[in-house]
Amino acid sequence: MSEQVQIAGSVERITYYNEENGYTVLRLKPDSRGMLPFRYASGRDALITVVGNLPEVQPGEWLKLTGKWGNHAKHGRQFLAEFCEQSLPATTEGIKRYLGSGMIRGVGKVMAERIVARFGEETLDVIEYEPERLQTVLGIGKKRVGQIMKAWEEQRAIKDVMIFLQSHGVSTNLATKIYKKYGDTSLAIVQNTPYKLVQDVYGIGFKTADKIAQALGLAADDPGRIEAGVAYTLNRMAEDGHVYMPQEELEPEAAEILGLETEKITAVIDHLETSDFIKRETLRHPVISKQLSVNSGQFSVIGEEKPIYNVGTPEVREERAVYLTPFYYSEIGVTQRIQRLINHPTSRLAILKNQKANHQSSIENRQSPIKLAPQQLHAIQTAVTHKVTILTGGPGTGKTTTMRALLDLLDRHRLTYALASPTGRAAKRLAEATGREAKTVHRLLEFKPGEGFGRSENNPLNADMVIIDEASMLDLMLTFNLLKAVSPDSHLLLVGDVDQLPSVGAGDVLGDLIDSGKTAVVRLQTIFRQASNSLIISNAHLINEGKMPQTSPDANDFFIFVKEDPSEAAELLVDVVKTRIPLKFRLDPLDDIQVLAPMYNGAVGVNNLNLLLQSALNPGAKRKTERKLGGRLFRVGDKVMQTVNNYDKNVYNGDIGRVTEMDLLQQNLTVSIDGAPVVYDFLEADELVHAFAISVHKSQGAEYPCVVIPVATQHYLMLQRNLLYTAVTRAKKLVILVGTRKAIRIAVQNDKTTQRHTALDWRLNH
């Protein structure tokens, strides 16, 4: 075993850097004796390859490294760095490369050369102690000096934080975010309350905070650590869509994460309840198949007279439910407000009920060429006579036509309404389909960052009817805030396809409301003639019925490309998107085609397909600016997607846009989303992912001219009927499946969707 040695020198170039874990490959130019700082070797160009987990260093920096020599089978002799000390460069060449590396906002290569040409080896001292002298450099004014001073201070403070964090596997990007959040108190907070980072800093999870805490000597069974572990387990549960977690599941899962005995978890759960961090309740569920009637098509309307919740065996399943407190109050709040709406004695639409709105002549506009089917007329009658109505049905069954006719009726009687959808994309489609103004639910409720929702019980919506489209996307908390703003004498109509995937957020609101039997429910089942000619529509219904999709030689909107090997399927998919579809259907591969994959990993997963499609559709070029951020290479022209709600920027999870500009000097990039430019600091780029391919879940509420769906048996765990159904129904003109018929059959036959832990339906019946 080779012994530890030390080497020193100047960073010549960075060959590879992984933002997630700091793994680095760099070329180091040693000084003449290996340990003399700030001097280059004379008369020799030997460079040392250094590998190891290092802080993010810049070309020109001087490093003192401790580690061992090793030999790589392919790359030869390397220095395996275990510890790194950073120092500022002292040679003019080193300073020039250091300043011009992009580490200081406002200084690029050209400006770095001017500054060093003016001040030489004194450059860094000038920036540190006499920054006002920078104004003597051509192109630097007072504003630019201020920028450089601020960036220099941040870099110096971040270096201090990094000295502490680098040994705990925290990346430079996250260390910078910690500093941005806490400023000069960063080190104190990290050292004294490391688990606080999980709640405060996006990108830092429990495992990273736990690694820091244990390195600081916190005992494995410290109550603070166990509390953080239980909170992490419950938050992960919520990310999977669950509103609560049965205690019998929570305790062993948290114990496994923490590496402790289950008994130690129980006592801490009791304390968390006392401190009001969690709520517990014993639930007694009847053992029935959820959404039994909805999926079997046994009804057209379910109201108070025909509850389905009590259908089936009287057997009761009891469980101790553990809620994060906000979810507990949200579930109770939704229950109370649904009951309040249903039971409230007055209705703003009483005039329609009194005028016998069930008569066809009073519903249909005599001047309109659209004739409604009996089911559609019945849906409108139900919506105006019941305080809470759900309108559901598959594609092509006339949900939008029914909505338009209902809005016409309300307009004729000068009644007011509010139209909204959970996402911006869905709201835009709703506005186009109805010819009326439609907003996102957040905008409807006048949400403001830092202030919350402007509309509430104290300032309710002034609307006789509130209509929410794509209601399957409503999660529990958003529904709670919506219902708080609906007046008790108003009507609520939820429109959505209950057979699609449930909301990304926690809850299964639409399904639970149907299961409760407390709301009126209309399911449109007739596929209209103009829609029945589409294989997209007919195949979507076949899939939903558990049958294989059909193709035909003369088909023009639904195709299956069979390729058994996943890697070959990935290559074929790229060719289909880049060449075949544009040639045959004149569709733009970036603007009109969306790849929807069931999973992130694997040859035909989201991650690999994004790499392949970026290379094929937006390859690098000399004049095309690019930058590696958060482990991803972003390039001007890339198709990207927002992954979290950012209310300050007015962009939301699932919004898709194109990178239009990248400023390496100011360290930001601009993304055009729905025609509006949104500027991201490089540190905020971890909110973005490439969107040449996205997951099916992320496509909810959207429509695309064409969708291309890889289906491979390696995605076995995610091949579910409602997932394939959701993917197919995202397409307006063209669907192409690439993969194997066996994988398609697995998806079609698998109707065992993951049941979420929710109790809204139970509460509505108690």
Side-chain angles (χ1 to χ4, degrees):
M1 182 179 293
S2 59
E3 35 178 273
Q4 278 198 338
V5 295
Q6 290 184 330
I7 64 170
S10 174
V11 177
E12 184 73 13
R13 64 176 178 270
I14 310 297
T15 305
Y16 175 79
Y17 179 71
N18 186 318
E19 182 68 45
E20 299 300 318
N21 57 23
Y23 182 78
T24 305
V25 180
L26 60 82
R27 298 283 277 169
L28 189 79
K29 190 166 189 177
D31 60 60
S32 58
R33 290 180 293 169
M35 285 300 297
L36 288 179
F38 313 139
R39 291 194 181 132
Y40 288 97
S42 58
R44 48 182 275 197
D45 296 320
L47 297 178
I48 297 171
T49 299
V50 176
V51 300
N53 294 86
L54 304 174
E56 188 171 14
V57 297
Q58 306 295 335
E61 272 191 274
W62 184 84
L63 304 181
K64 180 179 177 181
L65 301 164
T66 303
K68 300 175 182 178
W69 289 102
N71 281 295
H72 189 278
K74 182 178 179 181
H75 302 294
R77 187 168 173 79
Q78 298 178 335
F79 187 79
L80 311 178
E82 297 173 7
F83 188 76
C84 170
E85 293 179 39
Q86 296 167 266
S87 295
L88 296 175
T91 66
T92 55
E93 184 63 28
I95 295 170
K96 189 188 304 179
R97 300 185 68 228
Y98 179 69
L99 289 180
S101 64
M103 63 162 300
I104 297 178
R105 191 188 306 271
V107 179
K109 290 183 179 180
V110 174
M111 189 58 66
E113 288 179 359
R114 290 180 187 171
I115 294 172
V116 176
R118 176 72 178 81
F119 300 113
E121 294 184 1
E122 296 180 353
T123 296
L124 300 183
D125 286 336
V126 169
I127 295 174
E128 179 78 32
Y129 303 111
E130 301 176 279
E132 65 280 356
R133 290 177 61 192
L134 291 172
Q135 293 185 61
T136 62
V137 178
L138 179 65
I140 296 185
K142 191 173 182 180
K143 183 179 178 182
R144 178 71 67 86
V145 170
Q147 279 185 321
I148 294 172
M149 287 174 62
K150 183 181 177 183
W152 183 259
E153 286 293 322
E154 285 183 358
Q155 285 296 323
R156 188 170 57 182
I158 291 166
K159 294 288 185 189
D160 293 339
V161 176
M162 279 307 302
I163 291 171
F164 175 77
L165 293 180
Q166 67 175 350
S167 60
H168 303 308
V170 178
S171 71
T172 304
N173 187 48
L174 292 180
T176 305
K177 284 193 165 189
I178 291 170
Y179 178 77
K180 292 279 189 184
K181 178 68 179 177
Y182 303 126
D184 294 337
T185 63
S186 297
L187 277 177
I189 288 174
V190 171
Q191 290 173 321
N192 298 323
T193 55
Y195 294 110
K196 184 175 170 61
L197 302 175
V198 181
Q199 281 76 42
D200 292 351
V201 183
Y202 176 71
I204 292 188
F206 169 78
K207 292 181 178 178
T208 299
D210 193 44
K211 187 176 179 182
I212 295 170
Q214 293 198 69
L216 291 169
L218 190 72
D221 60 353
D222 184 281
R225 177 175 183 262
I226 299 175
E227 287 184 10
V230 171
Y232 167 71
T233 307
L234 287 170
N235 277 297
R236 196 169 69 170
M237 160 214 79
E239 290 172 0
D240 290 336
H242 302 293
V243 174
Y244 67 85
M245 197 167 186
Q247 188 162 335
E248 62 182 18
E249 294 180 21
L250 171 62
E251 289 182 350
E253 188 164 331
E256 184 178 351
I257 289 169
L258 292 164
L260 297 171
E261 300 81 14
T262 304
E263 295 74 27
K264 293 190 176 181
I265 309 298
T266 308
V268 170
I269 290 177
D270 293 340
H271 179 261
L272 285 171
E273 185 173 31
T274 304
S275 64
D276 209 36
F277 185 81
I278 64 169
K279 292 288 185 182
R280 285 190 290 186
E281 186 172 357
T282 299
L283 306 177
R284 296 175 177 86
H285 297 282
V287 181
I288 61 172
S289 175
K290 297 196 99 182
Q291 296 179 16
L292 172 66
S293 297
V294 175
N295 288 324
S296 60
Q298 295 174 4
F299 69 91
S300 59
V301 176
I302 294 177
E304 297 82 2
E305 71 284 358
K306 186 184 175 185
I308 65 168
Y309 188 87
N310 297 318
V311 173
T313 172
E315 181 185 350
V316 172
R317 171 176 55 85
E318 186 175 294
E319 63 185 3
R320 186 72 162 156
V322 182
Y323 289 81
L324 288 166
T325 299
F327 289 116
Y328 177 79
Y329 285 121
S330 292
E331 193 168 79
I332 288 177
V334 170
T335 303
Q336 291 174 341
R337 282 158 181 78
I338 288 289
Q339 290 170 334
R340 182 186 67 170
L341 273 171
I342 292 173
N343 297 327
H344 195 77
T346 62
S347 163
R348 292 193 180 193
L349 302 186
I351 185 175
L352 295 180
K353 191 172 184 179
N354 295 337
Q355 292 187 2
K356 297 181 181 180
N358 56 320
H359 291 170
Q360 181 170 339
S361 60
S362 67
I363 293 176
E364 291 189 318
N365 185 346
R366 297 182 186 89
Q367 298 176 347
S368 172
I370 300 175
K371 294 300 178 185
L372 300 176
Q375 276 187 338
Q376 294 174 302
L377 291 168
H378 192 40
I380 295 173
Q381 176 190 345
T382 302
V384 299
T385 56
H386 289 72
K387 297 295 289 300
V388 183
T389 303
I390 294 172
L391 175 61
T392 187
T397 56
K399 295 191 297 297
T400 301
T401 302
T402 303
M403 264 198 296
R404 282 203 304 265
L406 170 61
L407 295 173
D408 288 342
L409 175 67
L410 296 175
D411 283 339
R412 288 200 300 277
H413 288 83
R414 297 183 179 179
L415 294 163
T416 60
Y417 49 83
L419 290 173
S421 285
T423 69
R425 293 171 297 173
K428 185 178 179 181
R429 282 177 41 225
L430 179 61
E432 292 170 350
T434 61
R436 275 90 168 176
E437 181 186 21
K439 302 176 180 179
T440 65
V441 176
H442 280 84
R443 191 176 291 278
L444 177 69
L445 301 180
E446 298 176 10
F447 181 87
K448 293 181 181 178
E451 299 179 20
F453 293 97
R455 293 288 182 173
S456 63
E457 287 172 313
N458 299 323
N459 183 28
L461 295 166
N462 184 22
D464 300 324
M465 176 176 276
V466 177
I467 301 173
I468 307 297
D469 194 23
E470 295 288 355
S472 63
M473 299 176 66
L474 282 175
D475 61 43
L476 182 69
M477 285 194 174
L478 185 57
T479 304
F480 179 39
N481 284 293
L482 170 68
L483 291 174
K484 282 194 284 189
V486 177
S487 297
D489 55 354
S490 297
H491 284 233
L492 176 66
L493 174 62
L494 302 176
V495 183
D497 188 345
V498 75
D499 294 324
Q500 289 185 19
L501 291 169
S503 59
V504 174
D508 186 9
V509 174
L510 195 65
D512 280 350
L513 290 176
I514 291 173
D515 289 338
S516 74
K518 295 299 183 182
T519 63
V521 182
V522 180
R523 178 162 187 151
L524 302 178
Q525 294 175 300
T526 303
I527 304 175
F528 288 91
R529 186 175 59 196
Q530 61 269 31
S532 64
N533 295 327
S534 164
L535 271 181
I536 296 175
I537 301 295
S538 58
N539 278 334
H541 286 271
L542 286 174
I543 290 168
N544 204 31
E545 294 165 8
K547 300 173 183 176
M548 286 288 286
Q550 303 298 310
T551 57
S552 65
D554 57 347
N556 60 6
D557 66 352
F558 199 102
F559 300 89
I560 299 175
F561 287 74
V562 176
K563 187 67 72 172
E564 296 289 334
D565 181 78
S567 297
E568 293 178 3
E571 291 180 14
L572 174 59
L573 183 145
V574 172
D575 183 51
V576 165
V577 171
K578 180 183 179 182
T579 307
R580 300 193 190 191
I581 295 174
L583 280 176
K584 183 173 176 61
F585 296 97
R586 298 292 186 266
L587 294 176
D588 185 273
L590 287 172
D591 294 332
D592 300 327
I593 303 170
Q594 185 60 60
V595 177
L596 305 178
M599 290 182 71
Y600 282 88
N601 297 325
V604 285
V606 170
N607 296 333
N608 187 54
L609 290 176
N610 268 316
L611 292 174
L612 296 176
L613 289 165
Q614 181 192 39
S615 178
L617 303 179
N618 189 35
K622 282 186 177 181
R623 295 187 178 181
K624 193 179 289 185
T625 310
E626 60 182 42
R627 178 72 179 263
K628 197 161 190 176
L629 302 166
R632 297 184 179 91
L633 180 65
F634 288 97
R635 183 178 291 144
V636 170
D638 276 351
K639 187 176 182 180
V640 295
M641 180 173 64
Q642 176 77 14
T643 59
V644 294
N645 291 337
N646 188 322
Y647 303 110
D648 293 320
K649 295 184 185 298
N650 195 29
V651 289
Y652 301 94
N653 187 2
D655 285 350
I656 289 179
R658 297 277 288 278
V659 178
T660 56
E661 187 179 349
M662 190 174 292
D663 190 332
L664 300 181
L665 194 62
Q666 296 303 319
Q667 298 183 12
N668 60 43
L669 57 88
T670 303
V671 179
S672 175
I673 298 178
D674 290 331
V678 183
V679 180
Y680 293 81
D681 188 278
F682 280 169
L683 287 175
E684 300 171 316
D686 56 359
E687 295 184 9
L688 298 170
V689 295
H690 289 103
F692 301 98
I694 64 175
S695 71
V696 179
H697 285 81
K698 290 289 189 182
S699 73
Q700 288 174 261
E703 267 191 354
Y704 312 97
C706 169
V707 299
V708 179
I709 309 163
V711 277
T713 53
Q714 64 177 199
H715 291 163
Y716 182 85
L717 292 175
M718 289 298 293
L719 291 176
Q720 298 172 349
R721 183 184 301 173
N722 65 345
L723 186 137
L724 182 59
Y725 173 75
T726 300
V728 168
T729 55
R730 299 307 88 208
K732 291 189 289 186
K733 298 179 181 178
L734 180 64
V735 170
I736 295 179
L737 305 182
V738 180
T740 70
R741 293 188 183 276
K742 180 180 178 181
I744 298 171
R745 188 171 291 106
I746 290 171
V748 166
Q749 293 176 351
N750 180 16
D751 64 344
K752 295 180 177 61
T753 56
T754 303
Q755 289 294 320
R756 295 184 168 187
H757 292 304
T758 67
L760 177 60
D761 51 349
W762 177 81
R763 292 187 187 281
L764 284 166
N765 281 274
H766 290 80

